[in-house]
Amino acid sequence: MYTKPVGEIIKRYDIKYNCYADDTQMYMTLKSHYKWDDISSSIEAFIADMSTWIKNNILKLNKDKTEFMVF
């Protein structure tokens, strides 16, 4: 229940995710016709929303375990 808002934020940005105990894995499938400027703006807005939720719930993101990969 506590992390339900995390799923709502993630879904708002059309991101898929899996939760494992205290870890969350998020991923997006991008098509070749997508524009990088639109995608990067959406990712930046997502990170801002998640950062706000984390701050409001007095949590800390473990940056050592956080990765962003583009394939």
Side-chain angles (χ1 to χ4, degrees):
M1 289 174 90
Y2 180 72
T3 59
K4 185 175 189 285
V6 171
E8 293 169 357
I9 294 169
I10 294 169
K11 288 179 187 176
R12 190 179 317 147
Y13 291 92
D14 198 28
I15 297 173
K16 294 165 184 59
Y17 68 101
N18 296 310
C19 293
Y20 307 96
D22 64 343
D23 290 329
T24 303
Q25 176 189 49
M26 295 170 271
Y27 54 95
M28 298 174 72
T29 303
L30 306 176
K31 306 291 183 189
S32 60
H33 64 274
Y34 289 177
K35 294 181 181 171
W36 179 249
D37 289 340
D38 296 337
I39 294 165
S40 63
S41 295
S42 179
I43 291 171
E44 287 175 11
F46 165 71
I47 291 170
D49 282 354
M50 283 301 300
S51 296
T52 300
W53 185 87
I54 288 168
K55 182 180 175 184
N56 290 343
N57 286 277
I58 313 168
L59 297 172
K60 183 179 175 187
L61 181 67
N62 186 342
K63 293 181 182 181
D64 292 335
K65 291 176 56 177
T66 302
E67 298 178 6
F68 179 77
M69 296 183 285
V70 178
F71 295 98

